[in-house]
Amino acid sequence: MWDDAFPSFLIGLREGLEAGLIVSILVATLVRAEARSRLPQVWTGVLAAIAVAMSFGAVLTFTAASMPQTAQEAFGGTLSVIAVAFVTAMVFWMRRSARNLSSELKQKVTGALAMGSGMLVLTSFLAVGREGLETALFLWTTAQAAGESAGPLTGAAIGLVLAAGLCWGLYRRVLKINLTKFFTATGVVLIVIAAGVLGYGLRDLQEGGVLPGRTAYAVDLAGSIDAGSWYSTLVQGVFNLMPTMTWLQVVAYVGYLVVVMTLFVRGVRATAPKPKPEPAERPAAEAPAGPRPRTGRRPAWVIPTAVVAVPAVIAGLAVALGRPKPAGDQTVAVSETDCGKGFTAPAPGRQTFRMHNTGRQASEVYLVDPSTNAVYGEIEGLAPGTTRDLVATVAGGTYAWRCVPASGRAVTSKPVTVRGGGAAKPVTPVSEQDLAGPLKAYKAYVGHGLDTLVGQTGTLRRDIEGGHLDKARTDWLTAHRTYASLGAAYGTFEDFDKKIDGRADGLPGGEHDKDFTGFLRLEYGLWHGQSAKELTGPARQLDTDAAGLRKAFPSQDFDPGDLPLRAHEILENTLQFELTGDTDEGSGTNLATADANLTGTRELLTVLEPLLTSRSPLLLPTVDADIDRVRKLLDAAHDGDHWTPVEKLPAAGRQRLDGATGQLLEDLAPVPDLLEIRKSA
């Protein structure tokens, strides 16, 4: 967690020390001016600054959470760039102002004493508030980069506590720190960290569609660097440098670092060294104590409570008003006869609709453009009597509700027109007819593969019958790879899949059970010293089952809606079984099977390409890059016909392969939703 915590620790330490020094100087000035009675006013201003900073952080967090994913990316990227600007300005300001900070603040306090309590509260609030807002913004951006890690908050807390301790020591003259050197050294480190935050922010803006070049990679080391290793997580957490970076990220990172670091270092040399710091014990210029605060007018706790409560209430209102609101005063009703009752034209933007099923059947619910059937939002399986929220972004256009009961015809509500701007990205619906062409092409691919498979299982059978077990091991792998490339995931080939490639798990006799058949049964025997006589029966059975599958496949029921699912499910099986070594029966060729699964997935994507490209143009380029990355890792694990067993992969190599496959699965996840068949009428 330290890799995520360090940047926040440094900002917490530095900003905390800056704010703490300011408070120390304010307090010391009042004490030396014999105005201790005015100290509560300083603490009130400090408390108000802290409350505003925390409220600002809460508004950022909850505002972002209520946005669509692309809007979150754009929002986070924009604030990351702003945070870099603030941190850069803070670094240069402190470099210039550190030596004169004390005298400037003393002058302000002297003036505030003569102007009343409100001015002293305002002086301390403004002096500390800037540091607080900078801290909140920078912590929010680093927390966004760290995802769910608690590192940023932990690091910031440690830094602030340490800063408070240092300030107390400096105030009590227990510690002596060369503050000029401290702020110079931390400034250098913060510039490096800020360069990474800038790159991360620009990447968010690319992901959000604000900036171009999302897939224009200048650096792509994901295939050769383990993203989960300690050194990789350290570099990513501290410097926000990723194994894969676009040209925009790289140019911005290098440009910022070169320009800002050069200016900072030149400025340090130009201003060093100046007059000696003012001794801590030198008394401040006597200032008039000012009028004593009147007592008896109000309890002492009223103002501190108010300065904390007011920002919190304002932040709460901002969060509440910024959250999506129901589209109207009434819940939108759903039933098999009446769909969309209570639906009124919503305002443009992100909206939450409360959908209540008043009918007797479960129903699918879609928010659609009735002229094109494009889908803006959906709820699957809304049960009778239940209410669920549907969140969707609407823009100018025409909208209607479509309710599809479990049995019966779809019902579409009366359309409403939304006026205004904005942009909404609907999903173009897919029909069975749309998938008919890809399904035909894929079935032709599988049919051709089954023809090849039958020839290969026949060769394997003859090897074993002739006692040529060494040749049988080679031909076994060839045939098994052919079968694995056909996409046999989740019962694609009905009962034949269990016969041809079923595992021994769950069978009473395990590998020795009479019902254990197919490729894995032969694998166990070929790599565990069984004789040709023992293996002849299983080899003949496999050949028979392969021929049976080839004959049955043209008439097997293949739901067109299952085709997009295979694009994700094949590699889901790969990650679950092959990359864990769970299906290895002795050959150590799980990675060869994974490579064949990758071939099957790419073939599926090829037949689905026209539908996917029209709905999500950036999806396939991203997935293709992921597939190439996984294939390179697999290619590195074999030499000719020899494949490295999964359990013998180096730990770092195995982590890289698992991580790259997981990323591929994540990028494939939208395919089933994009190509889901939705009933239109």
Side-chain angles (χ1 to χ4, degrees), residues 11 14-15 18 56 60 78-94 129-138 141 190 194 197 256:
I11 198 71
R14 184 183 170 104
E15 294 277 15
E18 286 185 28
F56 177 59
L60 291 180
T78 301
L79 289 182
S80 294
V81 175
I82 294 173
V84 170
F86 272 126
V87 169
T88 305
M90 174 266 290
V91 166
F92 280 90
W93 175 79
M94 202 60 189
R130 195 191 75 156
E131 319 300 333
L133 292 176
E134 286 177 354
T135 304
L137 181 57
F138 195 84
T141 57
L190 276 177
V197 173
Y256 174 89

Side-chain angles (χ1 to χ4, degrees), residues 136-166:
L137 181 57
F138 195 84
L139 286 182
W140 187 86
T141 57
T142 54
Q144 290 293 109
E148 296 182 2
S149 171
L153 293 180
T154 303
I158 295 172
L160 290 170
V161 170
L162 181 57
L166 291 175

Side-chain angles (χ1 to χ4, degrees), residues 561-581:
D562 286 346
L563 192 61
L565 294 174
R566 297 290 176 262
H568 188 273
E569 289 174 347
I570 295 172
L571 289 178
E572 193 175 69
N573 271 4
T574 303
L575 188 63
Q576 182 180 0
F577 299 121
E578 309 305 334
L579 298 188
T580 60

Side-chain angles (χ1 to χ4, degrees), residues 21-78:
L21 287 172
I22 291 170
V23 174
S24 298
I25 294 168
L26 292 174
V27 171
T29 303
L30 289 175
V31 169
R32 291 168 192 160
E34 297 183 356
R36 289 178 178 270
S37 61
R38 309 292 291 275
L39 288 177
Q41 297 164 15
V42 172
W43 295 119
T44 298
V46 171
L47 203 60
I50 294 172
V52 168
M54 295 181 68
S55 300
F56 177 59
V59 170
L60 291 180
T61 301
F62 290 105
T63 300
S66 66
M67 293 180 176
Q69 184 62 37
T70 54
Q72 288 185 34
E73 301 284 1
F75 183 70
T78 301

Side-chain angles (χ1 to χ4, degrees), residues 123 210 437:
T123 300
V210 177

Side-chain angles (χ1 to χ4, degrees), residues 231-252:
Y231 56 85
S232 181
T233 54
L234 182 66
V235 171
Q236 291 181 54
V238 174
F239 303 112
N240 273 309
L241 290 175
M242 305 299 173
T244 303
M245 296 182 69
T246 64
W247 278 106
L248 179 61
Q249 287 179 278
V250 172
V251 170

Side-chain angles (χ1 to χ4, degrees), residues 528-582:
H528 284 83
Q530 290 187 349
S531 66
K533 182 178 180 180
E534 292 175 286
L535 294 174
T536 296
R540 289 174 177 171
Q541 183 65 49
L542 173 61
D543 192 26
T544 299
D545 290 335
L549 174 59
R550 179 183 63 174
K551 182 178 179 181
F553 178 71
S555 61
Q556 285 182 336
D557 184 23
F558 201 120
D559 187 342
D562 286 346
L563 192 61
L565 294 174
R566 297 290 176 262
H568 188 273
E569 289 174 347
I570 295 172
L571 289 178
E572 193 175 69
N573 271 4
T574 303
L575 188 63
Q576 182 180 0
F577 299 121
E578 309 305 334
L579 298 188
T580 60
D582 189 57

